[in-house]
Amino acid sequence: MLAIFAMAYGLERLFLYSFLFALIVFIIGKIVLKPPRLRIPRIGRAPNGPFGLAKARADFLIHGRQLAEEGYSKYSQSMFVVQTADMERVILSAKYADELRTYPTDVLSSVDAQCERHLASWNTLDVVRRSNLHVDVTRVQLSRHLGRMARDLQDEVEHALSSELGPCTTGIEDYYYVAAHTISLKVVSRTVNRALVGLPLCRDDRWFETSMGYMADAFTISGALRPRPHVLRYFVYPFLGARLRIRKHLAVANRLLAPVIQQRVPKDTTHNDVLQWMIDDARGRDRDPQELAHKTLFLCLASMSSSTMGIVHALYDLCAMPEFIEPLREEIRGALSEEGGWTLAMIQRLKKLDSFLKESQRINHPGLFSFNRKVLKPIHLSDGTVLPADTFISMPTYSIARDPSFYDSPNKFQPFRFYDLRQRNPEEANRHQLTSTGPTSLAFGYGQAACPGRAFAAVEMKMILGHLVYLYDFKFPKGQTERPENIFMDERIWPSRVQQVGFRLRADTRNSLGKA
C-alpha cells in the first residue's frame, strides 16, 4: 500500500512539474519569443479576450464598409490594421504599390494569401499550390491566341444568348423578364468553358452543371468553416453536404475530361483552347488527366465570378442611364462595318464600351480590398516600416477608387471618363483601358501577381455586353428608374442577384443573331 501511495505521489509530482514546465514555455512563447507586432493604428475591434476574435470578425462582417472607409479617411497616406472576417490585415496606402509589386513570390505571395483566405486545403482549391501550369498558360497562350479565339467566343456568346433568352428570339414583342445575375452567370459560364475545354464538351450539360457546382460548393465550404476556430473546423467539416458534392464534381470532371485528354496529342493546332495548351506544356504530375481536370475546374471558378459581376453591374448602369445605350450601339455598328465581324481588332475598336465597363467597375468595385498578399519573409519598406513574416497585407481598392485626389468627381458616374483620357493625347492612347493596372486602378491587382487572365476577361465582357447592346433592348421593370443598391458583406461587394431585367430582341437585328 505504501508503495502504491508513493508511486501515485510521484506521478502527481511529475504531472505538476510537467504542467509548470508547459506553463513556463507558454509564457516565454507569448512574452519573450513573441513575434514583433507592427505599431500601427487599429480600426475596429481588437481580437482580445476569450471571445474577442469572434466579436471582431462578426463586427467586420457587418460593418466592413464603414471600417474600411474610416481607416482610409484617417490613414490614406500610411497604413492601419483591421481584423476582417477571415484574418487580421495590414491595409497599406497606394503609395507603397510600386515598391511592393516587384517582390518575388518567395517573399510576398498572392497564392499563399489566396489559399489561407479561402481555406483551400478544405475545399480542394489548394490545387493552385502544386504548379503554375494554369497561370502560365493563362498569361501566355490564352492572351497570345485571343485573335484566333474571337470567332469561337462570338459563336458561343450567340449560342448562349439564344439558349438563355429564347423567348426573345420568337418574335414576341413584349419584354422577357429574368434575373440579370442568373442570365449573366450562365452566359459567362458557357463562354468561359468554350475557351477552356472547347467543343463539344463546353455544351455538355453534365460539364456545365459540374463547373457551376464546383464553384458554389467550394465557396460554401469556406463560408461555413471561416467563422469557426481552427480546431472546431475538424468537427464541422464531416457534416457539410458540400464536402461530398465537391468530391463528386471532381469525379465527374475527371470522367468527362479523361477521354478527351487521352485522345488529344501535344501541339495539336486543331484545338484552340486552354485544355490543349495545358496538355502541351504539362510536366510531371501535371500530365495526369485527373490533375488537368482539377486545374480546369479551378480555372472555371476563377474566371466566372468577377466577369459575371462586371456584366451585371454594367447592365444595371445602362438600365439606370439608358441615354448611354445608343452611343455604345453606334460605336458597335461602326466597328462591325470597319472590321466585318466580331474579331479581336473589332473589339479593340470599342473604346467607349471599354471605358463604360471600367467606370462601372470603378464605381462598383468587386471588393473593399485588393492586392491581397502574405508576407513570407520580412519586408523593409522605404519609410523604415518592417512588415514581419506572416503579415497579411491588402490595399483599400474601394476607397482609392473614390479618392478625389485620383479621380475628378469620383462619386459621379462618367461613362466615358477613361475614353476621354485616352483621346486626350497620343501618349495616353494605350492607357486607361479595362485591363490597365496601377496604384490607383487595382481591381485586377498589380505587379507580378496581377490577374493573368484579365486580357481574356476584357474581351469576353465586351463580347457579351456588346452583343446585348447591339441585339437587344433592355430595361428595368415598369416604374423602376434606379439601379438596386449593392450588397456589402465582409470585404465582398455584390450586385443584386434577384433584380429583374426585361430583354427584347431589337427589330432591326432580329435576323442578325448568329450572323453578325
PDB file of all heavy atoms in Angstrom, residues 35-65:
ATOM      1  N   PRO A  35       6.487  37.151 -31.695  1.00  0.00           N
ATOM      2  CA  PRO A  35       6.950  37.826 -32.902  1.00  0.00           C
ATOM      3  C   PRO A  35       6.643  39.317 -32.837  1.00  0.00           C
ATOM      4  O   PRO A  35       5.675  39.734 -32.207  1.00  0.00           O
ATOM      5  CB  PRO A  35       6.144  37.149 -34.025  1.00  0.00           C
ATOM      6  CG  PRO A  35       4.958  36.555 -33.345  1.00  0.00           C
ATOM      7  CD  PRO A  35       5.416  36.187 -31.976  1.00  0.00           C
ATOM      8  N   PRO A  36       7.461  40.119 -33.465  1.00  0.00           N
ATOM      9  CA  PRO A  36       7.254  41.563 -33.401  1.00  0.00           C
ATOM     10  C   PRO A  36       5.931  41.965 -34.030  1.00  0.00           C
ATOM     11  O   PRO A  36       5.532  41.449 -35.060  1.00  0.00           O
ATOM     12  CB  PRO A  36       8.427  42.127 -34.210  1.00  0.00           C
ATOM     13  CG  PRO A  36       8.834  41.007 -35.114  1.00  0.00           C
ATOM     14  CD  PRO A  36       8.589  39.757 -34.342  1.00  0.00           C
ATOM     15  N   ARG A  37       5.228  42.884 -33.365  1.00  0.00           N
ATOM     16  CA  ARG A  37       3.968  43.389 -33.893  1.00  0.00           C
ATOM     17  C   ARG A  37       4.170  44.789 -34.435  1.00  0.00           C
ATOM     18  O   ARG A  37       4.960  45.572 -33.914  1.00  0.00           O
ATOM     19  CB  ARG A  37       2.890  43.402 -32.805  1.00  0.00           C
ATOM     20  CG  ARG A  37       2.460  42.023 -32.363  1.00  0.00           C
ATOM     21  CD  ARG A  37       1.296  42.123 -31.403  1.00  0.00           C
ATOM     22  NE  ARG A  37       0.133  42.716 -32.027  1.00  0.00           N
ATOM     23  CZ  ARG A  37      -0.759  42.027 -32.742  1.00  0.00           C
ATOM     24  NH1 ARG A  37      -0.595  40.733 -32.931  1.00  0.00           N
ATOM     25  NH2 ARG A  37      -1.800  42.635 -33.273  1.00  0.00           N
ATOM     26  N   LEU A  38       3.453  45.082 -35.504  1.00  0.00           N
ATOM     27  CA  LEU A  38       3.540  46.412 -36.071  1.00  0.00           C
ATOM     28  C   LEU A  38       2.876  47.417 -35.130  1.00  0.00           C
ATOM     29  O   LEU A  38       1.752  47.197 -34.667  1.00  0.00           O
ATOM     30  CB  LEU A  38       2.841  46.433 -37.425  1.00  0.00           C
ATOM     31  CG  LEU A  38       3.541  45.697 -38.556  1.00  0.00           C
ATOM     32  CD1 LEU A  38       2.601  45.547 -39.737  1.00  0.00           C
ATOM     33  CD2 LEU A  38       4.799  46.416 -38.973  1.00  0.00           C
ATOM     34  N   ARG A  39       3.565  48.471 -34.868  1.00  0.00           N
ATOM     35  CA  ARG A  39       2.997  49.523 -34.028  1.00  0.00           C
ATOM     36  C   ARG A  39       2.298  50.536 -34.934  1.00  0.00           C
ATOM     37  O   ARG A  39       2.816  51.623 -35.200  1.00  0.00           O
ATOM     38  CB  ARG A  39       4.096  50.170 -33.189  1.00  0.00           C
ATOM     39  CG  ARG A  39       4.719  49.231 -32.184  1.00  0.00           C
ATOM     40  CD  ARG A  39       5.703  49.947 -31.265  1.00  0.00           C
ATOM     41  NE  ARG A  39       6.282  49.040 -30.299  1.00  0.00           N
ATOM     42  CZ  ARG A  39       5.702  48.684 -29.151  1.00  0.00           C
ATOM     43  NH1 ARG A  39       4.521  49.193 -28.836  1.00  0.00           N
ATOM     44  NH2 ARG A  39       6.300  47.855 -28.324  1.00  0.00           N
ATOM     45  N   ILE A  40       1.156  50.132 -35.446  1.00  0.00           N
ATOM     46  CA  ILE A  40       0.379  50.995 -36.323  1.00  0.00           C
ATOM     47  C   ILE A  40      -1.045  51.062 -35.782  1.00  0.00           C
ATOM     48  O   ILE A  40      -1.481  50.170 -35.048  1.00  0.00           O
ATOM     49  CB  ILE A  40       0.390  50.507 -37.782  1.00  0.00           C
ATOM     50  CG1 ILE A  40      -0.196  49.103 -37.892  1.00  0.00           C
ATOM     51  CG2 ILE A  40       1.795  50.533 -38.351  1.00  0.00           C
ATOM     52  CD1 ILE A  40      -0.324  48.623 -39.310  1.00  0.00           C
ATOM     53  N   PRO A  41      -1.784  52.097 -36.129  1.00  0.00           N
ATOM     54  CA  PRO A  41      -3.127  52.263 -35.566  1.00  0.00           C
ATOM     55  C   PRO A  41      -4.094  51.175 -36.012  1.00  0.00           C
ATOM     56  O   PRO A  41      -3.987  50.643 -37.117  1.00  0.00           O
ATOM     57  CB  PRO A  41      -3.561  53.636 -36.087  1.00  0.00           C
ATOM     58  CG  PRO A  41      -2.692  53.907 -37.264  1.00  0.00           C
ATOM     59  CD  PRO A  41      -1.384  53.223 -36.988  1.00  0.00           C
ATOM     60  N   ARG A  42      -5.021  50.867 -35.138  1.00  0.00           N
ATOM     61  CA  ARG A  42      -6.032  49.850 -35.418  1.00  0.00           C
ATOM     62  C   ARG A  42      -7.378  50.517 -35.658  1.00  0.00           C
ATOM     63  O   ARG A  42      -7.733  51.495 -35.019  1.00  0.00           O
ATOM     64  CB  ARG A  42      -6.152  48.873 -34.247  1.00  0.00           C
ATOM     65  CG  ARG A  42      -7.290  47.849 -34.408  1.00  0.00           C
ATOM     66  CD  ARG A  42      -7.349  46.900 -33.234  1.00  0.00           C
ATOM     67  NE  ARG A  42      -6.206  46.017 -33.228  1.00  0.00           N
ATOM     68  CZ  ARG A  42      -6.099  44.906 -33.956  1.00  0.00           C
ATOM     69  NH1 ARG A  42      -7.101  44.553 -34.766  1.00  0.00           N
ATOM     70  NH2 ARG A  42      -5.029  44.160 -33.885  1.00  0.00           N
ATOM     71  N   ILE A  43      -8.128  49.941 -36.589  1.00  0.00           N
ATOM     72  CA  ILE A  43      -9.501  50.345 -36.849  1.00  0.00           C
ATOM     73  C   ILE A  43     -10.409  49.184 -36.463  1.00  0.00           C
ATOM     74  O   ILE A  43     -10.144  48.031 -36.802  1.00  0.00           O
ATOM     75  CB  ILE A  43      -9.706  50.709 -38.334  1.00  0.00           C
ATOM     76  CG1 ILE A  43      -8.893  51.949 -38.700  1.00  0.00           C
ATOM     77  CG2 ILE A  43     -11.185  50.944 -38.634  1.00  0.00           C
ATOM     78  CD1 ILE A  43      -9.308  53.212 -37.999  1.00  0.00           C
ATOM     79  N   GLY A  44     -11.480  49.489 -35.756  1.00  0.00           N
ATOM     80  CA  GLY A  44     -12.416  48.447 -35.363  1.00  0.00           C
ATOM     81  C   GLY A  44     -11.995  47.733 -34.103  1.00  0.00           C
ATOM     82  O   GLY A  44     -11.048  48.122 -33.414  1.00  0.00           O
ATOM     83  N   ARG A  45     -12.693  46.653 -33.784  1.00  0.00           N
ATOM     84  CA  ARG A  45     -12.442  45.882 -32.571  1.00  0.00           C
ATOM     85  C   ARG A  45     -11.087  45.190 -32.621  1.00  0.00           C
ATOM     86  O   ARG A  45     -10.653  44.716 -33.666  1.00  0.00           O
ATOM     87  CB  ARG A  45     -13.512  44.800 -32.391  1.00  0.00           C
ATOM     88  CG  ARG A  45     -14.874  45.302 -31.943  1.00  0.00           C
ATOM     89  CD  ARG A  45     -15.830  44.124 -31.860  1.00  0.00           C
ATOM     90  NE  ARG A  45     -17.136  44.499 -31.380  1.00  0.00           N
ATOM     91  CZ  ARG A  45     -17.518  44.442 -30.108  1.00  0.00           C
ATOM     92  NH1 ARG A  45     -16.664  44.016 -29.182  1.00  0.00           N
ATOM     93  NH2 ARG A  45     -18.743  44.798 -29.750  1.00  0.00           N
ATOM     94  N   ALA A  46     -10.457  45.095 -31.453  1.00  0.00           N
ATOM     95  CA  ALA A  46      -9.247  44.282 -31.318  1.00  0.00           C
ATOM     96  C   ALA A  46      -9.665  42.882 -30.882  1.00  0.00           C
ATOM     97  O   ALA A  46     -10.591  42.727 -30.090  1.00  0.00           O
ATOM     98  CB  ALA A  46      -8.306  44.897 -30.288  1.00  0.00           C
ATOM     99  N   PRO A  47      -9.013  41.848 -31.408  1.00  0.00           N
ATOM    100  CA  PRO A  47      -9.407  40.473 -31.072  1.00  0.00           C
ATOM    101  C   PRO A  47      -8.876  40.044 -29.705  1.00  0.00           C
ATOM    102  O   PRO A  47      -8.117  39.078 -29.582  1.00  0.00           O
ATOM    103  CB  PRO A  47      -8.784  39.660 -32.207  1.00  0.00           C
ATOM    104  CG  PRO A  47      -7.575  40.445 -32.593  1.00  0.00           C
ATOM    105  CD  PRO A  47      -7.935  41.892 -32.408  1.00  0.00           C
ATOM    106  N   ASN A  48      -9.266  40.770 -28.655  1.00  0.00           N
ATOM    107  CA  ASN A  48      -8.797  40.482 -27.302  1.00  0.00           C
ATOM    108  C   ASN A  48      -9.845  39.714 -26.512  1.00  0.00           C
ATOM    109  O   ASN A  48     -11.039  39.825 -26.772  1.00  0.00           O
ATOM    110  CB  ASN A  48      -8.467  41.785 -26.569  1.00  0.00           C
ATOM    111  CG  ASN A  48      -7.358  42.564 -27.250  1.00  0.00           C
ATOM    112  OD1 ASN A  48      -6.459  41.984 -27.851  1.00  0.00           O
ATOM    113  ND2 ASN A  48      -7.412  43.888 -27.167  1.00  0.00           N
ATOM    114  N   GLY A  49      -9.376  38.980 -25.486  1.00  0.00           N
ATOM    115  CA  GLY A  49     -10.287  38.254 -24.628  1.00  0.00           C
ATOM    116  C   GLY A  49     -10.713  36.929 -25.223  1.00  0.00           C
ATOM    117  O   GLY A  49     -10.461  36.632 -26.388  1.00  0.00           O
ATOM    118  N   PRO A  50     -11.404  36.105 -24.436  1.00  0.00           N
ATOM    119  CA  PRO A  50     -11.778  34.754 -24.893  1.00  0.00           C
ATOM    120  C   PRO A  50     -12.690  34.748 -26.111  1.00  0.00           C
ATOM    121  O   PRO A  50     -12.651  33.832 -26.912  1.00  0.00           O
ATOM    122  CB  PRO A  50     -12.482  34.152 -23.662  1.00  0.00           C
ATOM    123  CG  PRO A  50     -12.877  35.331 -22.822  1.00  0.00           C
ATOM    124  CD  PRO A  50     -11.840  36.368 -23.058  1.00  0.00           C
ATOM    125  N   PHE A  51     -13.532  35.785 -26.267  1.00  0.00           N
ATOM    126  CA  PHE A  51     -14.440  35.831 -27.417  1.00  0.00           C
ATOM    127  C   PHE A  51     -14.139  37.031 -28.312  1.00  0.00           C
ATOM    128  O   PHE A  51     -14.936  37.382 -29.179  1.00  0.00           O
ATOM    129  CB  PHE A  51     -15.899  35.893 -26.935  1.00  0.00           C
ATOM    130  CG  PHE A  51     -16.296  34.731 -26.078  1.00  0.00           C
ATOM    131  CD1 PHE A  51     -16.421  34.886 -24.702  1.00  0.00           C
ATOM    132  CD2 PHE A  51     -16.516  33.488 -26.632  1.00  0.00           C
ATOM    133  CE1 PHE A  51     -16.777  33.809 -23.901  1.00  0.00           C
ATOM    134  CE2 PHE A  51     -16.865  32.403 -25.847  1.00  0.00           C
ATOM    135  CZ  PHE A  51     -17.002  32.560 -24.467  1.00  0.00           C
ATOM    136  N   GLY A  52     -12.974  37.664 -28.087  1.00  0.00           N
ATOM    137  CA  GLY A  52     -12.634  38.869 -28.823  1.00  0.00           C
ATOM    138  C   GLY A  52     -12.505  38.661 -30.318  1.00  0.00           C
ATOM    139  O   GLY A  52     -12.966  39.488 -31.114  1.00  0.00           O
ATOM    140  N   LEU A  53     -11.887  37.540 -30.717  1.00  0.00           N
ATOM    141  CA  LEU A  53     -11.701  37.288 -32.144  1.00  0.00           C
ATOM    142  C   LEU A  53     -13.037  37.109 -32.845  1.00  0.00           C
ATOM    143  O   LEU A  53     -13.274  37.675 -33.923  1.00  0.00           O
ATOM    144  CB  LEU A  53     -10.820  36.054 -32.354  1.00  0.00           C
ATOM    145  CG  LEU A  53     -10.550  35.655 -33.809  1.00  0.00           C
ATOM    146  CD1 LEU A  53      -9.871  36.792 -34.553  1.00  0.00           C
ATOM    147  CD2 LEU A  53      -9.686  34.389 -33.875  1.00  0.00           C
ATOM    148  N   ALA A  54     -13.923  36.324 -32.236  1.00  0.00           N
ATOM    149  CA  ALA A  54     -15.238  36.093 -32.839  1.00  0.00           C
ATOM    150  C   ALA A  54     -16.023  37.395 -32.956  1.00  0.00           C
ATOM    151  O   ALA A  54     -16.681  37.654 -33.973  1.00  0.00           O
ATOM    152  CB  ALA A  54     -16.020  35.074 -32.012  1.00  0.00           C
ATOM    153  N   LYS A  55     -15.942  38.246 -31.938  1.00  0.00           N
ATOM    154  CA  LYS A  55     -16.665  39.518 -31.969  1.00  0.00           C
ATOM    155  C   LYS A  55     -16.090  40.457 -33.029  1.00  0.00           C
ATOM    156  O   LYS A  55     -16.837  41.148 -33.730  1.00  0.00           O
ATOM    157  CB  LYS A  55     -16.613  40.171 -30.592  1.00  0.00           C
ATOM    158  CG  LYS A  55     -17.442  39.463 -29.534  1.00  0.00           C
ATOM    159  CD  LYS A  55     -17.333  40.176 -28.188  1.00  0.00           C
ATOM    160  CE  LYS A  55     -18.186  39.482 -27.126  1.00  0.00           C
ATOM    161  NZ  LYS A  55     -18.052  40.149 -25.800  1.00  0.00           N
ATOM    162  N   ALA A  56     -14.750  40.487 -33.138  1.00  0.00           N
ATOM    163  CA  ALA A  56     -14.114  41.360 -34.134  1.00  0.00           C
ATOM    164  C   ALA A  56     -14.458  40.901 -35.544  1.00  0.00           C
ATOM    165  O   ALA A  56     -14.720  41.729 -36.434  1.00  0.00           O
ATOM    166  CB  ALA A  56     -12.603  41.372 -33.926  1.00  0.00           C
ATOM    167  N   ARG A  57     -14.462  39.596 -35.771  1.00  0.00           N
ATOM    168  CA  ARG A  57     -14.829  39.084 -37.089  1.00  0.00           C
ATOM    169  C   ARG A  57     -16.277  39.422 -37.433  1.00  0.00           C
ATOM    170  O   ARG A  57     -16.594  39.844 -38.549  1.00  0.00           O
ATOM    171  CB  ARG A  57     -14.625  37.570 -37.138  1.00  0.00           C
ATOM    172  CG  ARG A  57     -13.175  37.133 -37.260  1.00  0.00           C
ATOM    173  CD  ARG A  57     -13.071  35.627 -37.211  1.00  0.00           C
ATOM    174  NE  ARG A  57     -11.738  35.175 -37.590  1.00  0.00           N
ATOM    175  CZ  ARG A  57     -11.341  33.904 -37.506  1.00  0.00           C
ATOM    176  NH1 ARG A  57     -12.171  32.980 -37.064  1.00  0.00           N
ATOM    177  NH2 ARG A  57     -10.120  33.570 -37.885  1.00  0.00           N
ATOM    178  N   ALA A  58     -17.157  39.208 -36.472  1.00  0.00           N
ATOM    179  CA  ALA A  58     -18.575  39.486 -36.700  1.00  0.00           C
ATOM    180  C   ALA A  58     -18.803  40.969 -36.959  1.00  0.00           C
ATOM    181  O   ALA A  58     -19.632  41.348 -37.796  1.00  0.00           O
ATOM    182  CB  ALA A  58     -19.388  39.025 -35.498  1.00  0.00           C
ATOM    183  N   ASP A  59     -18.056  41.816 -36.260  1.00  0.00           N
ATOM    184  CA  ASP A  59     -18.196  43.258 -36.444  1.00  0.00           C
ATOM    185  C   ASP A  59     -17.802  43.665 -37.855  1.00  0.00           C
ATOM    186  O   ASP A  59     -18.492  44.466 -38.498  1.00  0.00           O
ATOM    187  CB  ASP A  59     -17.326  43.983 -35.413  1.00  0.00           C
ATOM    188  CG  ASP A  59     -17.588  45.481 -35.383  1.00  0.00           C
ATOM    189  OD1 ASP A  59     -18.763  45.873 -35.359  1.00  0.00           O
ATOM    190  OD2 ASP A  59     -16.615  46.256 -35.391  1.00  0.00           O
ATOM    191  N   PHE A  60     -16.710  43.087 -38.361  1.00  0.00           N
ATOM    192  CA  PHE A  60     -16.283  43.440 -39.720  1.00  0.00           C
ATOM    193  C   PHE A  60     -17.229  42.848 -40.757  1.00  0.00           C
ATOM    194  O   PHE A  60     -17.465  43.452 -41.815  1.00  0.00           O
ATOM    195  CB  PHE A  60     -14.856  42.970 -39.986  1.00  0.00           C
ATOM    196  CG  PHE A  60     -14.283  43.525 -41.248  1.00  0.00           C
ATOM    197  CD1 PHE A  60     -13.654  44.761 -41.251  1.00  0.00           C
ATOM    198  CD2 PHE A  60     -14.389  42.848 -42.454  1.00  0.00           C
ATOM    199  CE1 PHE A  60     -13.150  45.311 -42.430  1.00  0.00           C
ATOM    200  CE2 PHE A  60     -13.893  43.377 -43.625  1.00  0.00           C
ATOM    201  CZ  PHE A  60     -13.267  44.613 -43.612  1.00  0.00           C
ATOM    202  N   LEU A  61     -17.769  41.683 -40.478  1.00  0.00           N
ATOM    203  CA  LEU A  61     -18.702  41.061 -41.416  1.00  0.00           C
ATOM    204  C   LEU A  61     -19.874  41.986 -41.709  1.00  0.00           C
ATOM    205  O   LEU A  61     -20.349  42.095 -42.845  1.00  0.00           O
ATOM    206  CB  LEU A  61     -19.213  39.734 -40.837  1.00  0.00           C
ATOM    207  CG  LEU A  61     -20.067  38.860 -41.754  1.00  0.00           C
ATOM    208  CD1 LEU A  61     -19.242  38.302 -42.890  1.00  0.00           C
ATOM    209  CD2 LEU A  61     -20.719  37.736 -40.964  1.00  0.00           C
ATOM    210  N   ILE A  62     -20.321  42.706 -40.673  1.00  0.00           N
ATOM    211  CA  ILE A  62     -21.483  43.576 -40.809  1.00  0.00           C
ATOM    212  C   ILE A  62     -21.082  45.004 -41.187  1.00  0.00           C
ATOM    213  O   ILE A  62     -21.738  45.657 -42.009  1.00  0.00           O
ATOM    214  CB  ILE A  62     -22.294  43.592 -39.491  1.00  0.00           C
ATOM    215  CG1 ILE A  62     -22.786  42.173 -39.167  1.00  0.00           C
ATOM    216  CG2 ILE A  62     -23.469  44.557 -39.586  1.00  0.00           C
ATOM    217  CD1 ILE A  62     -23.385  42.038 -37.796  1.00  0.00           C
ATOM    218  N   HIS A  63     -19.992  45.484 -40.607  1.00  0.00           N
ATOM    219  CA  HIS A  63     -19.628  46.897 -40.762  1.00  0.00           C
ATOM    220  C   HIS A  63     -18.328  47.090 -41.537  1.00  0.00           C
ATOM    221  O   HIS A  63     -17.674  48.126 -41.390  1.00  0.00           O
ATOM    222  CB  HIS A  63     -19.488  47.552 -39.383  1.00  0.00           C
ATOM    223  CG  HIS A  63     -20.705  47.431 -38.521  1.00  0.00           C
ATOM    224  ND1 HIS A  63     -21.908  48.034 -38.838  1.00  0.00           N
ATOM    225  CD2 HIS A  63     -20.918  46.752 -37.359  1.00  0.00           C
ATOM    226  CE1 HIS A  63     -22.802  47.748 -37.909  1.00  0.00           C
ATOM    227  NE2 HIS A  63     -22.242  46.976 -37.004  1.00  0.00           N
ATOM    228  N   GLY A  64     -17.963  46.140 -42.374  1.00  0.00           N
ATOM    229  CA  GLY A  64     -16.689  46.211 -43.089  1.00  0.00           C
ATOM    230  C   GLY A  64     -16.525  47.478 -43.911  1.00  0.00           C
ATOM    231  O   GLY A  64     -15.454  48.088 -43.921  1.00  0.00           O
ATOM    232  N   ARG A  65     -17.586  47.875 -44.604  1.00  0.00           N
ATOM    233  CA  ARG A  65     -17.501  49.070 -45.456  1.00  0.00           C
ATOM    234  C   ARG A  65     -17.189  50.308 -44.619  1.00  0.00           C
ATOM    235  O   ARG A  65     -16.302  51.095 -44.967  1.00  0.00           O
ATOM    236  CB  ARG A  65     -18.812  49.256 -46.204  1.00  0.00           C
ATOM    237  CG  ARG A  65     -18.884  50.514 -47.063  1.00  0.00           C
ATOM    238  CD  ARG A  65     -20.259  50.640 -47.674  1.00  0.00           C
ATOM    239  NE  ARG A  65     -20.394  51.828 -48.507  1.00  0.00           N
ATOM    240  CZ  ARG A  65     -21.524  52.179 -49.120  1.00  0.00           C
ATOM    241  NH1 ARG A  65     -22.591  51.424 -48.993  1.00  0.00           N
ATOM    242  NH2 ARG A  65     -21.583  53.264 -49.857  1.00  0.00           N
TER     243      ARG A  65
END
